[in-house]
Amino acid sequence: MKKDFILDPLWITQGTYLDSEYFNYVLLDASVKYKEEIAADNIDRFCEVMFHILNLNNLAVTGNLFTAKYKEIWKEARIKQIQEELKKVYDLPDETTKIFKNANYVFLNIAIEYMKIHLDVLDKIKLFYMNKNIHHEKEIFIVTNKLGTNIYRIWKLSDDPKKNFGYSFTKVKTITIPDLVSDSFVKAVDSIVDPKLAGLTSSKNVCFAIIQEKEDELMVAKTVKDTLLLNKGIAKNHRFEPLLIGEVCRYIWTEKMLPFTLSQWRSEDVKEL
């Protein structure tokens, strides 16, 4: 069974004291493990890495951290120590500066590796959705289909504050539709007695992913899921943009940073890149 995290959300509060050499080993170990999963075409940790980037930004900007369930932590002794050091913005203690720089470098580079896989997958599929603000929905159904076949797999992405990073993602159903025309998909779903599909509305919360080239359907579903989550986080005031991952990847590559905090990710007012 996969462990919850490669790197604990509160990793910087661990260890006996703020030692850049110690944390450098912690970050290098995490980097190796993330890259091993990426090499195996496993993109499950994308949200974990994005969380680390934004949580680190949050610590630098506001002086607090979040757990994976978005519980705000600021009274912990180590955080108080970092808060005091961060007050000296133009004269940061060398150890703290090294830890922040090393962590930022590791997380951003791992995020880029994930997004390269996402972009490769997005090049092989076509997305169809009726709701231009589909990422605002609390429950979204992703339907994957290989072009020319009549098998449709349905996945559900749901806001879930009880889960790590605030969402759950599960495969719900596989259905076969002999000849898909007009509203036959909706009719086929309506004929299924399944409470997990009760909230499915094609005009509101369904995103079709038609696979045009050889690609694993689970990988496609996960890529669409990550694209929706990224839009939920930093494009709340804008219409859904499937290629936002490409924009974020280019921005990180050129600017070596991501100008958002976890507090902003969770708020309703987030500015554009």
Side-chain angles (χ1 to χ4, degrees), residues 74-264:
W74 58 272
K75 290 185 178 180
E76 200 271 351
R78 174 61 53 72
I79 296 178
K80 286 186 176 181
Q81 179 187 355
I82 295 171
Q83 286 173 346
E84 289 302 312
E85 294 179 353
L86 286 173
K87 288 178 182 177
K88 310 163 189 174
V89 177
Y90 298 105
D91 188 27
L92 284 177
D94 190 51
E95 293 301 303
T96 305
T97 303
K98 286 181 180 178
I99 294 169
F100 270 72
K101 285 182 177 179
N102 289 342
N104 190 61
Y105 176 83
V106 168
F107 295 145
L108 291 178
N109 278 280
I110 293 297
I112 287 173
E113 292 302 312
Y114 279 118
M115 288 187 279
K116 285 180 180 178
I117 296 176
H118 289 134
L119 292 171
D120 181 62
V121 172
L122 288 170
D123 278 343
K124 300 175 182 178
I125 67 176
K126 288 288 186 183
L127 294 181
F128 300 94
Y129 48 92
M130 296 176 67
N131 181 4
K132 66 181 181 180
N133 294 314
I134 189 172
H135 57 304
H136 293 171
E137 299 299 325
K138 294 185 179 299
E139 188 176 76
I140 302 171
F141 293 89
I142 300 167
V143 181
T144 60
N145 166 256
K146 292 182 179 179
L147 187 66
T149 69
N150 57 13
I151 298 174
Y152 296 79
R153 292 178 172 83
I154 306 172
W155 320 73
K156 184 165 71 172
L157 170 63
S158 304
D159 289 356
D160 189 345
K162 295 180 181 179
K163 299 290 187 180
N164 290 332
F165 313 125
Y167 76 90
S168 62
F169 180 64
T170 56
K171 181 181 176 182
V172 180
K173 206 83 176 177
T174 298
I175 63 175
T176 301
I177 306 175
D179 297 299
L180 184 61
V181 293
S182 186
D183 59 352
S184 58
F185 174 79
V186 176
K187 288 181 178 178
V189 171
D190 287 342
S191 67
I192 300 172
V193 181
D194 190 331
K196 293 181 181 179
L197 297 178
L200 188 152
T201 304
S202 59
S203 62
K204 179 183 177 183
N205 62 354
V206 178
C207 182
F208 284 91
I210 307 303
I211 306 166
Q212 299 180 308
E213 299 179 33
K214 185 178 180 180
E215 186 57 81
D216 178 68
E217 285 195 61
L218 177 57
M219 179 69 81
V220 170
K222 289 179 178 178
T223 294
V224 177
K225 176 259 295 179
D226 287 343
T227 301
L228 286 160
L229 288 173
L230 192 61
N231 274 264
K232 277 178 175 284
I234 63 177
K236 293 180 176 68
N237 299 325
H238 306 279
R239 68 193 309 169
F240 175 58
E241 175 49 70
L243 296 180
L244 181 63
I245 278 184
E247 295 179 29
V248 172
C249 187
R250 285 189 292 274
Y251 191 92
I252 291 176
W253 179 262
T254 57
E255 302 298 330
K256 311 304 179 189
M257 54 92 74
L258 188 60
F260 300 101
T261 66
L262 206 54
S263 295
Q264 290 174 308

